[in-house]
Amino acid sequence: CDVWTRDFSNGFLIAEIFTAYYPRELKLSSFENGTSLKVKLDNWAQLEKFLARKKFKLPKELIHGTIHCKAGVPEILVQEVYTLLTHREIKSIQDDLVNFTDYSYQMRLPLVPRSTASKLIKDNIRLSELISNPNMLSNELKVEFLLLLQMLQRKLSRKLNPKWFEVKPTVGEITLDHLPKQVSRCKYNSPISRERVAPPVLRNTGTGGNPLKEISVKQAGKCSFESEIYQKQGKVTLESTRLMALKK
């Protein structure tokens, strides 16, 4: 971790800030300015007892991230301490939401120098975390979360820069790109011509001798489904007329 993060990890600087405001309730001589995990945990345990007496609330996640040198966490911790002591809100110096990983930093890098999966786990899970919390289940969940972040990072990179990865569009994407701007109301044209030619004149074999003709109706502008219905109705009418003529 960098110098800024390491200096705040043992809680000694935070203790100096609180002793300046409460010199009678907190003694700086009871804190040790060391770098071992035991020193860090002891210093922060004293600070947490003091904060509980004064009814100050610091998020546990910020304390945990500061102890284990998480990137961007000490800055947020200092802002919270300033708000507790002065009762004033300040503008956050963090542009992105902190998720206690270096995800934002990795996204700002070019593709080549970005961390691999193993390097990402090594950079975001400290040895002090494994020592202070040897629970295998929680550590496995942290690893799975980091792998999920890297997968999302790779997908986002492929989406933003498809030419770098030679990503070819799918069939669906190609189809959507070539759709016509205006689609007609009828999706399919009727396979039968809209203008039906009348068949030859039918001679009546009955006693009347009157010829029967089929009347053709133009259905321009109608869908194929409606035109087929009209054609079927015309055929039924023609057959019924022919039967009536035969009966006469």
Side-chain angles (χ1 to χ4, degrees):
C1 55
D2 55 13
V3 178
W4 169 265
T5 307
R6 185 177 64 249
D7 290 343
F8 277 92
S9 63
N10 59 5
F12 190 81
L13 294 178
I14 302 296
E16 283 186 328
I17 296 173
F18 280 110
T19 52
Y21 282 84
Y22 304 96
R24 296 182 180 180
E25 302 180 38
L26 195 64
K27 300 297 181 181
L28 190 61
S29 58
S30 60
F31 293 89
E32 184 179 353
N33 191 9
T35 57
S36 65
L37 180 61
K38 182 179 182 302
V39 171
K40 295 178 181 180
L41 295 177
D42 291 342
N43 289 347
W44 279 104
Q46 295 183 59
L47 284 173
E48 286 182 304
K49 290 179 181 179
F50 167 76
L51 294 173
R53 289 197 306 268
K54 301 298 294 183
K55 295 182 180 180
F56 291 153
K57 294 182 179 180
L58 277 179
K60 289 279 188 181
E61 294 81 6
L62 294 180
I63 297 176
H64 182 271
T66 304
I67 292 174
H68 302 295
C69 301
K70 297 293 184 179
V73 180
E75 292 90 335
I76 303 177
L77 181 68
V78 172
Q79 295 179 32
E80 292 291 332
V81 172
Y82 175 84
T83 304
L84 289 175
L85 295 176
T86 62
H87 303 286
R88 298 176 183 177
E89 295 288 340
I90 60 175
K91 184 179 179 180
S92 177
I93 61 176
Q94 297 286 341
D95 296 332
D96 302 326
L97 295 177
V98 177
N99 56 4
F100 302 98
T101 63
D102 61 347
Y103 176 79
S104 299
Y105 169 72
Q106 293 293 329
M107 287 301 296
R108 289 193 292 267
L109 292 176
L111 293 177
V112 176
R114 289 182 184 178
S115 299
T116 59
S118 58
K119 185 71 166 55
L120 185 69
I121 295 172
K122 182 180 178 181
D123 291 342
N124 291 279
I125 297 181
R126 309 291 182 183
L127 180 61
S128 57
E129 289 185 78
L130 302 178
I131 296 174
S132 61
N133 183 19
N135 189 349
M136 294 296 295
L137 179 60
S138 62
N139 294 329
E140 288 178 0
L141 291 176
K142 292 177 183 178
V143 172
E144 290 180 1
F145 175 72
L146 293 174
L147 294 177
L148 178 62
L149 277 182
Q150 195 202 35
M151 182 182 66
L152 294 176
Q153 172 187 328
R154 291 175 63 86
K155 286 185 176 181
L156 183 60
S157 300
R158 292 172 67 89
K159 194 71 176 178
L160 295 177
N161 306 290
K163 294 182 179 179
W164 294 356
F165 297 92
E166 297 182 357
V167 178
K168 297 181 180 180
T170 61
V171 177
E173 293 174 347
I174 296 175
T175 305
L176 291 176
D177 293 338
H178 291 80
L179 281 178
K181 295 182 179 180
Q182 295 181 354
V183 182
S184 60
R185 188 178 64 176
C186 299
K187 295 184 179 179
Y188 304 99
N189 295 326
S190 174
I192 304 175
S193 176
R194 291 176 180 177
E195 297 184 3
R196 188 179 180 87
V197 181
V201 178
L202 299 177
R203 298 295 179 179
N204 186 12
T205 56
T207 57
N210 296 325
L212 297 177
K213 296 183 179 179
E214 181 183 1
I215 301 174
S216 62
V217 180
K218 296 182 180 180
Q219 298 291 340
K222 297 293 183 178
C223 297
S224 60
F225 179 73
E226 295 179 357
S227 61
E228 289 180 2
I229 293 177
Y230 286 125
Q231 291 167 7
K232 290 181 180 179
Q233 290 179 351
K235 290 181 179 179
V236 173
T237 305
L238 179 62
E239 292 294 334
S240 59
T241 307
R242 185 185 301 170
L243 291 175
M244 292 176 63
L246 291 173
K247 288 180 181 180
K248 290 180 181 181

